[in-house]
Amino acid sequence: MRLSRSLASVTVVVCLVMSLPYDALPHARVEVPKATEPELFGAWCRNRVTGSHVIAYCHNPYPRTDSVRLHIECDRWWDVDSDSAAVDAGPAQTVRLTGRCWKEVRSAWVSHRKQAR
């Protein structure tokens, strides 16, 4: 008789716990990061190709420094492609990047990299 009473008690407790809504059960709290706006970054650049010379002007309107590099791909197979040294474009600063090929320029572009804070 004693076994059946304890079994009945356990059964009642299990049924009550199972019938509780999920929100009533204790669970660990997890910090949800707030949605932040994406950080505005990146200088806008303007390239000009004149013959075998390339000039790029990059202006950074944002508060974080942008490290820019000019990349030039030459048209002739024997002409060496080039990458300029990185130049830091600070906030509200315009920088000038130059480069050239021996003959024609196939393409020119500027790459960007965020500076460490």
Side-chain angles (χ1 to χ4, degrees):
M1 188 72 142
R2 207 166 196 7
L3 182 61
S4 65
R5 281 188 190 176
S6 64
L7 184 60
S9 300
V10 170
T11 306
V12 169
V13 169
V14 169
C15 289
L16 284 175
V17 169
M18 296 289 284
S19 66
L20 286 175
Y22 176 75
D23 292 339
L25 294 176
H27 55 276
R29 296 200 179 255
V30 177
E31 290 289 325
V32 178
K34 294 181 181 179
T36 59
E37 292 184 23
E39 182 182 16
L40 297 176
F41 167 78
W44 56 267
C45 298
R46 182 180 65 225
N47 299 345
R48 183 177 66 198
V49 178
T50 307
S52 62
H53 294 274
V54 179
I55 299 174
Y57 291 97
C58 296
H59 177 73
N60 183 13
Y62 301 114
R64 189 154 180 199
T65 301
D66 184 6
S67 183
V68 292
R69 293 180 70 176
L70 177 64
H71 306 277
I72 301 171
E73 186 176 334
C74 300
D75 196 32
R76 306 292 174 124
W77 66 267
W78 47 264
D79 207 347
V80 179
D81 299 339
S82 64
D83 300 322
S84 73
V87 176
D88 291 339
Q93 184 179 17
T94 301
V95 295
R96 180 178 182 224
L97 306 166
T98 61
R100 65 177 296 246
C101 292
W102 285 102
K103 291 283 188 176
E104 300 86 12
V105 174
R106 179 178 295 169
S107 62
W109 66 95
V110 176
S111 64
H112 304 264
R113 190 184 72 207
K114 288 182 182 179
Q115 287 289 47
R117 289 188 177 201

